[in-house]
Amino acid sequence: MKTILVPTDFSENAYVAAEYACALANISQQKVQLLHVYIALYSGYGEEGNSVKQIRWAETESAEAMKNLVENLNRQFPKVAIEGECVKGFMIDVVTDKLKRGENSLVIMGTKGATNITESILGSTTYEVIKKSPVPVLVVPIDTPDFAFKRVGFFTAYDDHELDALFAFQQAINLHPHLDMVHFFRSDEKAPEKDLERWQRKVTEAYPDLEVSYKMVPVEKADINAVTQTAKSEHLDLLMFVRPHKSFFQKIFAPSLTKAIANYPTIPSLFIKT
């Protein structure tokens, strides 16, 4: 059975992400592994005994918080196998090392969406995990209204390597939602009809069983507002982006927008490295 990794700092946005992960696991037959990474701070000038006490206090507090989190989620999702782990260290290092073992098919993390995330340790780590993770990373905003997976928006540059991302998506999510292929082009240029036709043929040949629709959207500026407006107008439940290569981000977006979407999503967003 596949396992979804959910890093948590026990904040409200992290709890929403954990709920989302459990809802997904419930319908896709996966397990959920919660991970909390704590740091025991102590002064080098203090007595050794005090340092040990601080480490033990951090361990105890983390273990208790994790126990409560697992119990709450078990009550909400009794059919999902949920386990929790607390590890001393730095979040990005621990998560990266764990993913290298190949035991997790997907990472789900929370952010505060369109609000300030600076007070959340987890929020500042999300983008770093996206950059380094060998598996897809799904970012969930705190104000996600429900946990629907019916319509997925795939923002595409019509690049062949994105076909590999579709396979990674199927492996990680383990569902078969309707896929909306969305391509932005500049409003002062002609719509790339031939590119679309070529892309449709390739997707159909590679994934004949996928339920797919295609949409080209003219925009003056391909920014986070364009993504959000398209997602809302198409009633998308989840957004999907591919990185790195010269992907949708690098061809259409400014580099900083990748981080903006990761840190301030308005709709759950999946990032896949190919």
Side-chain angles (χ1 to χ4, degrees):
M1 183 179 291
K2 297 177 182 178
T3 302
I4 301 172
L5 179 65
V6 187
T8 180
D9 59 0
F10 305 122
S11 60
E12 184 181 356
N13 46 309
Y15 189 81
V16 172
E19 288 183 306
Y20 189 99
C22 290
L24 175 59
N26 189 47
I27 61 175
S28 62
Q29 305 300 309
Q30 300 190 68
K31 297 188 297 183
V32 172
Q33 181 182 37
L34 304 168
L35 172 67
H36 175 68
V37 181
Y38 63 90
I39 303 174
L41 300 177
Y42 60 89
S43 171
Y45 297 100
E47 297 181 4
E48 184 176 351
N50 289 334
S51 298
V52 172
K53 288 180 182 178
Q54 289 174 332
I55 292 173
R56 288 178 178 171
W57 177 84
E59 291 174 345
T60 301
E61 290 292 306
S62 298
E64 183 64 24
M66 181 62 75
K67 177 176 177 291
N68 292 335
L69 176 59
V70 172
E71 288 178 351
N72 288 337
L73 291 172
N74 275 329
R75 283 193 289 269
Q76 289 181 255
F77 304 93
K79 295 182 180 180
V80 178
I82 306 170
E83 61 181 32
E85 180 183 13
C86 296
V87 179
K88 183 164 71 74
F90 294 94
M91 175 70 81
I92 187 64
D93 294 334
V94 174
V95 170
T96 301
D97 289 343
K98 182 173 284 290
L99 292 176
K100 287 179 180 177
R101 302 174 193 171
E103 299 172 354
N104 302 104
S105 58
L106 175 68
V107 179
I108 295 183
M109 303 182 70
T111 77
K112 292 203 171 182
T115 61
N116 193 325
I117 64 168
T118 56
E119 66 271 25
S120 171
I121 296 174
L122 192 64
S124 63
T125 308
T126 302
Y127 182 61
E128 292 302 314
V129 172
I130 290 171
K131 289 196 297 182
K132 296 182 178 181
S133 175
V135 302
V137 179
L138 203 164
V139 181
V140 181
I142 192 172
D143 54 354
T144 299
D146 52 35
F147 307 123
F149 308 97
K150 294 180 179 179
R151 298 186 69 90
V152 176
F154 184 4
F155 288 82
T156 174
Y158 300 154
D159 280 343
D160 290 350
H161 76 272
E162 292 172 346
L163 296 173
D164 295 330
L166 288 176
F167 179 75
F169 167 75
Q170 290 181 321
Q171 293 297 304
I173 301 298
N174 202 31
L175 297 175
H176 300 283
H178 179 88
L179 198 63
D180 290 78
M181 291 275 187
V182 180
H183 178 79
F184 287 163
F185 68 97
R186 301 186 188 282
S187 55
D188 58 352
E189 297 179 353
K190 186 178 180 180
E193 298 286 354
K194 291 184 177 180
D195 290 341
L196 173 58
E197 293 174 4
R198 178 190 63 82
W199 180 244
Q200 285 178 313
R201 288 195 301 270
K202 290 197 171 188
V203 172
T204 301
E205 290 172 3
Y207 302 97
D209 297 329
L210 274 183
E211 183 184 348
V212 188
S213 59
Y214 301 86
K215 186 178 182 66
M216 292 190 295
V217 181
V219 294
E220 292 185 3
K221 184 179 180 181
D223 57 11
I224 193 169
N225 292 324
V227 171
T228 300
Q229 290 172 7
T230 300
K232 290 183 177 180
S233 66
E234 298 299 314
H235 306 290
L236 301 177
D237 302 312
L238 174 66
L239 311 183
M240 181 164 59
F241 305 94
V242 182
R243 48 171 296 124
H245 297 290
K246 289 186 177 179
S247 66
F248 180 72
F249 288 103
Q250 294 168 305
K251 285 188 173 180
I252 306 297
F253 286 163
S256 61
L257 197 55
T258 305
K259 188 173 184 178
I261 294 174
N263 282 339
Y264 305 101
T266 55
I267 294 172
S269 299
L270 180 69
F271 298 85
I272 299 177
K273 181 183 294 185
T274 58

